[in-house]
Amino acid sequence: MKSSKDSGWNPYLAGSLTGVVAILSVWIGDKFYGVSTTFSRVAGMIEKYIAPERFATIEYFVRVAPRIDWQFMFVIGIFIGALISSITSKSFKWVAVPDRWRSRFGSSILKRALFAFVGGVIAMFGARLADG
Amino acid sequence: MNMLIYGLVTGILFGFLLQKGRVLRYDKQIGALLLKDMTIVKFMFSSIMVAMVGIYILKDMGLVKLDLKTTILGANILGSLIFGLGWGLLGYCPGTQMGALGEGRWDAVWGIGGMIAGAAIHAELYPFLKNTVMTWGNYGKITLPDVLSVSHWAVIPVFIIFGLIVFIICEKKGI
């Protein structure tokens, strides 16, 4: 594999292989890549547990029921795959505040946490609205 | 049960390749949004170019079916603008933050929490969205070849040429 400075793979190669995996996934499992529906399902699982009465009134959780499906496992798999890859290539690194963020907004973990959380709320609302 | 194992294996392969491509990092994601580091664009376009050819070949052979999402201009345009705003703040997208956490970038945890909350808010507002934004410009399950009334093999090469031009520009500019 072609190595760059930080010993990653060429992005054209890694991207193309991802495309091959996508083809095999559609062919063998009849499944297209997707992530964001899982966040709706997890939100449903949590609400069902902590506020079952509220949960029962929400129409969307009938359409997108809180259950563990192909995509839920796919999302867990992304975590495991990145863990395997980073540990075996010694590129695993604990990072609380990314470099580019730090150079612009400082090293406060709280500040990063706040913006990341709010960003996550906004991004997922948009993703679900667009049905992406 | 089989489907769950397929999902896990597919996810592991995807996460492995995302990590190898170095696209899980905040710096890379924001770098792409600033047009300063196009690693993610190279990765994403390569993946789409390969997958679109392979999947359409399988479709022509009758081996697979497409799984089309409904095109609703109001929801798609508004939703993607909102998504982009959040993406710029967080610096991870829904899938990559899972991988970012896997390689130790634990600020992804905040994003994951925020996204679960965002999904809950979306579910709360769904009845309202369904009667408003999601009715604006609903074209059903369409594809570009359908709209243009041409074969998909007329559209795919155009996309590939566009992608290759983007790659050449990125390489020339060294981004």
Side-chain angles (χ1 to χ4, degrees):
Chain A
M1 300 303 157
K2 188 184 164 225
S3 300
S4 58
K5 278 166 294 189
D6 63 352
S7 70
W9 291 2
N10 179 313
Y12 298 117
L13 174 70
S16 299
L17 290 173
T18 305
V20 173
V21 175
I23 296 166
L24 293 175
S25 172
V26 172
W27 193 2
I28 300 168
D30 198 22
K31 288 289 176 188
F32 288 80
Y33 286 3
V35 169
S36 66
T37 309
T38 296
F39 284 85
S40 294
R41 295 195 199 279
V42 171
M45 286 172 200
I46 294 171
E47 261 184 71
K48 194 176 178 181
Y49 186 72
I50 61 172
E53 282 161 25
R54 181 78 205 152
F55 170 82
T57 66
I58 297 176
E59 172 196 351
Y60 192 72
F61 292 137
V62 178
R63 276 175 57 97
V64 178
R67 60 186 171 83
I68 291 174
D69 62 352
W70 179 92
Q71 195 194 85
F72 186 99
M73 299 307 289
F74 177 72
V75 172
I76 301 294
I78 295 172
F79 168 80
I80 298 172
L83 184 67
I84 294 170
S85 171
S86 61
I87 286 181
T88 53
S89 63
K90 297 193 169 60
S91 54
F92 182 94
K93 195 178 152 200
W94 289 110
V95 176
V97 181
D99 293 340
R100 202 189 276 271
W101 174 279
R102 184 191 303 269
S103 65
R104 182 76 175 73
F105 303 109
S107 56
S108 162
I109 292 178
L110 186 68
K111 191 172 174 185
R112 170 64 184 145
L114 194 70
F115 279 84
F117 184 86
V118 173
V121 172
I122 297 170
M124 185 48 67
F125 181 82
R128 295 315 297 150
L129 174 58
D131 199 15
Chain B
M1 192 59 205
N2 259 347
M3 285 321 286
L4 298 184
I5 294 168
Y6 280 148
L8 188 67
V9 171
T10 311
I12 289 173
L13 292 170
F14 186 41
F16 186 89
L17 292 167
L18 286 168
Q19 205 278 335
K20 289 295 179 208
R22 297 294 185 261
V23 292
L24 297 171
R25 299 167 182 192
Y26 172 91
D27 293 9
K28 294 279 183 185
Q29 304 240 344
I30 297 298
L33 295 179
L34 294 170
L35 306 177
K36 284 181 175 168
D37 179 343
M38 303 297 266
T39 310
I40 287 176
V41 175
K42 295 173 192 172
F43 184 100
M44 211 153 46
F45 275 34
S46 302
S47 176
I48 295 170
M49 284 153 75
V50 170
M52 78 198 302
V53 171
I55 288 170
Y56 267 103
I57 289 173
L58 292 175
K59 180 180 180 276
D60 286 349
M61 293 166 72
L63 295 173
V64 302
K65 265 191 267 176
L66 298 184
D67 182 14
L68 299 177
K69 298 263 185 182
T70 312
T71 297
I72 307 173
L73 293 182
N76 295 153
I77 295 171
L78 213 75
S80 51
L81 288 172
I82 295 170
F83 172 78
L85 190 65
W87 184 22
L89 282 172
L90 170 58
Y92 298 119
C93 51
T96 53
Q97 69 187 353
M98 299 304 296
L101 185 61
E103 63 167 355
R105 296 163 198 280
W106 64 273
D107 59 330
V109 168
W110 317 122
I112 294 167
M115 287 204 187
I116 294 170
I121 294 170
H122 167 263
E124 289 284 335
L125 296 180
Y126 183 74
F128 167 77
L129 297 169
K130 196 177 71 174
N131 294 319
T132 54
V133 196
M134 292 175 69
T135 62
W136 303 343
N138 186 339
Y139 289 87
K141 298 190 182 234
I142 50 169
T143 65
L144 212 47
D146 292 342
V147 175
L148 300 171
S149 307
V150 293
S151 156
H152 42 266
W153 294 112
V155 175
I156 291 168
V158 174
F159 182 87
I160 290 177
I161 291 165
F162 171 75
L164 292 176
I165 292 171
V166 170
F167 292 165
I168 291 167
I169 294 172
C170 291
E171 295 307 326
K172 271 197 169 163
K173 292 197 176 291
I175 51 178

